[in-house]
């Protein structure tokens, strides 16, 4: 990995973007310094791997660098002194170095972007592509100077007015074509930057009303689009992982890739299962009426857990608030699944999260990410301790032990029948069943938290 070269970062900015903020260090749980890690110690080994390698943290360019913190009732509040507020390519190029300084000071190795986060949309597709190339030049230099890497790239197919009725599910074929051209370019740039993945999130790939929607046709168009992406991936030799990111709604009323199970069904139905894994996002899970834990278990069972957009929602607000995760139960559950399933390969923990509108200063970006990273570090250590202890897993295993031998083993091997099970039950009588012991297990987990 290239040595981090602070000079080459600051050479590209007239001033450092975060001049008052030093590199964030691990100071341990007793530290009272808010700009330090209390639990995340990048090189510390937990369950056989460094924390850094377990967690593979990423910064989301769209939130950290581009989110003005506007809400439906008020304008943006974010202070970003390095940004001149214009849509110029020069400003976009300067912003790249602010982002890499941020990652460097935070000790995060990965970032993720949409094409339109990093470079401005031009008046034509050709101009947009030129803008993107010009910023990709800068991203490439910054990656080389710092050793930071692209976790995944994506195309923004939901902001521009042309996509107001969808992109690959628009009723207009020319919009489909535009979206295809945009994804082609975003894949080229992701490939050029050595991206380890590419994400498809269908923000407007759904509908607002069935009065005007042919759902079957739209879903088939989405499948055709993704098949073309798979073909193009092979053509350019891009070996990164494709992800599909479930979300039930917002901005569309009903999104086709609504949750993990719906995505898996869609991928299987359309012959795409071998080409995609899931990028699961916590707040999307809760919008779908699931826990993140549930969504992760669904994905793992299908060998399709690819990457995570780490954030959290608010219990009292019904939309995608994209908050930084600080709940230790949440991170413990997530890390239990990660540890048991063997962890990330191409994916990572991308903080698809934004600071609150009230937290408008640059330093708030640090507080937010530090909190998220520490929360996952604690979750990781707690999950490792729970597995090491073994009681939870032993209980779960014992709970299913009637399937380990005898009639249960025959059920699992599918070598029995209703007739045999009837004869068995006539002989066996009323089953003796055991308590689920949920409260005992909740108490056990609290021993570790
Ligand atoms: C929106 C969302 C997106 C995707 C990438 O809710 O999560 O930012 O992660 O398009
Ligand atoms: Co996301």
């Amino acid at each position: 990995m290239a040595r981090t070269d602070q000079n080459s970062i600051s050479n590209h900015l007239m001033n450092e973007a975060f001049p008052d903020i030093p590199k964030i260090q691990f100071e341990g749980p007793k530290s009272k310094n808010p700009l330090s890690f209390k639990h995340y110690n990048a090189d510390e080994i937990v369950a056989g791997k460094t924390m850094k390698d377990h967690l593979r943290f990423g910064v989301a360019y769209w939130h950290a660098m581009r989110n003005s913190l506007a809400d439906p009732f008020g304008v943006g509040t974010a202070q970003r002194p390095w940004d001149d507020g214009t849509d110029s390519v020069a400003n976009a190029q300067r912003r790249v170095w602010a982002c890499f300084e941020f990652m460097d000071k935070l000790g995060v190795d990965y970032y993720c972007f949409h094409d339109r986060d990093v470079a401005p949309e031009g008046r034509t597709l050709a101009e947009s592509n030129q803008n993107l190339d010009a910023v990709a030049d800068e991203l490439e230099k910054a990656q080389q100077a710092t050793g930071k890497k692209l976790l995944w790239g994506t195309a923004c197919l939901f902001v521009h007015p042309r996509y107001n009725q969808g992109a690959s599910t628009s009723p207009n074929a020319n919009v489909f074509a535009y979206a295809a051209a945009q994804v082609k370019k975003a894949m080229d740039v992701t490939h050029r930057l050595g991206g380890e993945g590419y994400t498809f999130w269908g923000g407007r790939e759904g509908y607002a009303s069935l009065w005007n929607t042919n759902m079957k046709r739209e879903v088939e168009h989405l499948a055709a689009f993704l098949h073309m992406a798979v073909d193009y991936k092979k053509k350019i030799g891009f070996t990164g992982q494709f992800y599909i990111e479930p979300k039930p709604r917002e901005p569309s009323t009903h999104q086709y890739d609504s949750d993990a199970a719906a995505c898996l069904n869609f991928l299987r139905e359309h012959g795409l299962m071998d080409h995609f894994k899931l990028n699961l996002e916590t707040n999307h899970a809760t919008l779908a009426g699931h826990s993140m834990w549930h969504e992760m278990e669904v994905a793992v069972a299908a060998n399709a857990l690819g990457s995570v957009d780490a954030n959290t929602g608010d219990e009292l607000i019904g939309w995608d608030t994209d908050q930084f995760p600080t709940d230790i139960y949440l991170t413990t559950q997530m890390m239990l699944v990660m540890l048991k399933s063997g962890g990330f390969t191409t994916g990572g923990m991308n903080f698809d999260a934004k600071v609150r509108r009230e937290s408008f200063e640059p330093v708030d970006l640090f507080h937010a990410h530090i909190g998220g990273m520490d929360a996952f570090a604690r979750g990781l250590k707690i999950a490792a301790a729970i597995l090491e202890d073994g009681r939870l897993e032993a209980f779960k295993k014992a709970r299913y032990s009637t399937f380990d031998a005898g009639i249960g083993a025959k059920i699992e091997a599918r070598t029995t029948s209703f007739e045999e099970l009837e004869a068995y039950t006539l002989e066996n009588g009323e089953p003796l069943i055991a308590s689920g012991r949920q409260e005992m297990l909740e108490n056990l987990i609290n021993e570790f938290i």
Side-chain angles (χ1 to χ4, degrees):
M1 190 196 275
R3 191 176 54 92
T4 296
D5 187 341
Q6 192 59 49
N7 288 334
S8 82
I9 296 179
S10 11
N11 283 346
H12 287 83
L13 293 164
M14 297 290 277
N15 302 298
E16 275 181 58
F18 305 93
D20 306 326
I21 298 170
K23 251 190 153 136
I24 308 301
Q25 309 288 348
F26 171 71
E27 293 183 5
K30 293 217 169 71
S31 170
K32 297 282 179 271
N33 174 9
L35 290 175
S36 71
F37 294 116
K38 315 288 186 299
H39 303 278
Y40 179 64
N41 187 10
D43 294 317
E44 184 181 326
I45 306 278
V46 178
K49 266 202 303 210
T50 61
M51 287 195 178
K52 186 165 75 179
D53 288 343
H54 276 292
L55 295 164
R56 292 169 57 86
F57 288 124
V59 165
Y61 207 96
W62 55 99
H63 282 313
M65 290 295 123
R66 302 311 309 279
N67 201 315
S68 69
L69 308 182
D71 71 15
F73 297 93
V75 297
T77 57
Q79 294 172 356
R80 305 287 179 255
W82 57 85
D83 197 306
D84 67 14
T86 68
D87 250 349
S88 74
V89 170
N91 189 35
Q93 288 176 321
R94 247 190 332 271
R95 197 188 284 128
V96 165
W97 295 94
C99 187
F100 278 70
E101 182 190 324
F102 178 61
M103 286 191 279
D104 184 54
K105 289 186 167 170
L106 198 58
V108 165
D109 289 335
Y110 289 96
Y111 71 110
C112 298
F113 67 74
H114 301 80
D115 49 1
R116 302 298 181 251
D117 310 328
V118 292
E121 174 129 13
R123 278 161 307 175
T124 62
L125 178 66
E127 199 179 292
S128 299
N129 288 350
Q130 263 172 25
N131 293 349
L132 187 52
D133 283 333
V135 179
D137 290 343
E138 224 56 27
L139 288 167
E140 195 165 36
K141 281 185 224 154
Q143 287 186 189
Q144 275 160 10
T146 59
K148 305 292 172 202
K149 291 177 277 189
L150 178 59
L151 188 65
W152 51 258
T154 187
C156 176
L157 304 177
F158 44 89
V159 167
H160 194 281
R162 83 175 68 86
Y163 297 126
N164 72 59
Q165 292 163 62
S168 70
T169 63
S170 167
N172 184 317
N174 295 324
V175 173
F176 183 109
Y178 208 113
Q182 202 182 316
V183 167
K184 174 178 177 290
K185 182 67 186 176
M187 283 173 63
D188 286 337
V189 170
T190 300
H191 182 39
R192 169 183 169 190
L193 295 172
E196 298 184 21
Y198 186 94
T199 291
F200 292 84
W201 170 61
R204 296 188 195 271
E205 309 295 34
Y207 60 87
S209 168
L210 281 176
W211 289 117
N212 63 10
T213 302
N214 185 330
M215 192 185 334
K216 182 169 168 58
R217 228 169 150 181
E218 290 199 2
V219 173
E220 275 163 10
H221 294 168
L222 175 60
F225 192 90
L226 296 180
H227 272 289
M228 282 186 244
V230 169
D231 291 344
Y232 188 64
K233 178 180 191 241
K234 283 186 200 141
K235 240 173 249 169
I236 61 174
F238 175 54
T239 54
Q241 176 65 50
F242 270 176
Y243 306 113
I244 186 161
E245 180 177 329
K247 184 176 180 181
R249 67 188 74 85
E250 198 208 332
S252 66
T253 313
H254 293 272
Q255 199 171 305
Y256 296 131
D257 45 5
S258 55
D259 64 5
C263 282
L264 291 170
N265 180 60
F266 166 82
L267 293 171
R268 284 195 192 100
E269 182 178 349
H270 296 281
L272 288 160
M273 209 43 202
D274 292 344
H275 306 290
F276 284 80
K277 288 193 187 298
L278 302 182
N279 178 37
L280 295 175
E281 177 164 330
T282 322
N283 205 163
H284 297 181
T286 48
L287 285 175
H290 305 304
S291 64
M292 182 60 164
W293 190 4
H294 168 93
E295 290 292 83
M296 290 177 79
E297 294 273 2
V298 169
V300 167
N303 191 27
L305 178 58
S307 201
V308 167
D309 271 8
N311 62 19
T312 193
D314 185 294
E315 277 175 30
L316 304 179
I317 303 177
W319 69 81
D320 196 11
T321 58
D322 279 347
Q323 289 171 232
F324 278 83
T326 53
D327 180 333
I328 307 300
Y329 284 94
L330 169 71
T331 57
T332 297
Q333 292 161 355
M334 289 173 69
M335 293 318 298
L336 262 176
V337 180
M338 292 307 309
L339 286 178
K340 286 188 352 184
S341 65
F344 290 124
T345 51
T346 55
M349 263 325 155
N350 169 47
F351 284 114
D352 191 354
K354 63 186 180 208
V355 288
R356 298 303 84 193
R357 188 166 181 268
E358 301 85 343
S359 310
F360 47 80
E361 293 181 13
V363 70
D364 291 308
L365 292 171
F366 280 90
H367 293 308
H369 285 79
I370 289 169
M373 291 163 78
D374 265 347
F376 275 105
R378 284 187 73 185
L380 169 63
K381 285 191 274 188
I382 292 166
I386 291 169
L387 292 178
E388 165 91 12
D389 170 81
R391 279 175 291 163
L392 180 71
E393 291 308 303
F395 179 87
K396 260 195 192 176
K397 190 172 183 319
R399 189 159 181 245
Y400 294 88
S401 58
T402 55
F403 285 94
D404 292 341
I407 199 71
K410 286 180 94 175
I411 292 170
E412 286 199 346
R414 302 195 187 179
T415 54
T416 182
S417 63
F418 271 14
E419 293 91 321
E420 188 185 8
L421 292 171
E422 181 190 44
Y424 174 85
T425 301
L426 286 169
E427 168 75 26
N428 191 52
E430 195 56 34
L432 276 177
I433 62 166
S435 165
R437 297 264 187 270
Q438 180 176 329
E439 297 77 5
M440 181 193 84
L441 295 175
E442 285 166 349
N443 298 348
L444 188 152
I445 295 305
N446 274 355
E447 282 179 31
F448 295 87
I449 290 195

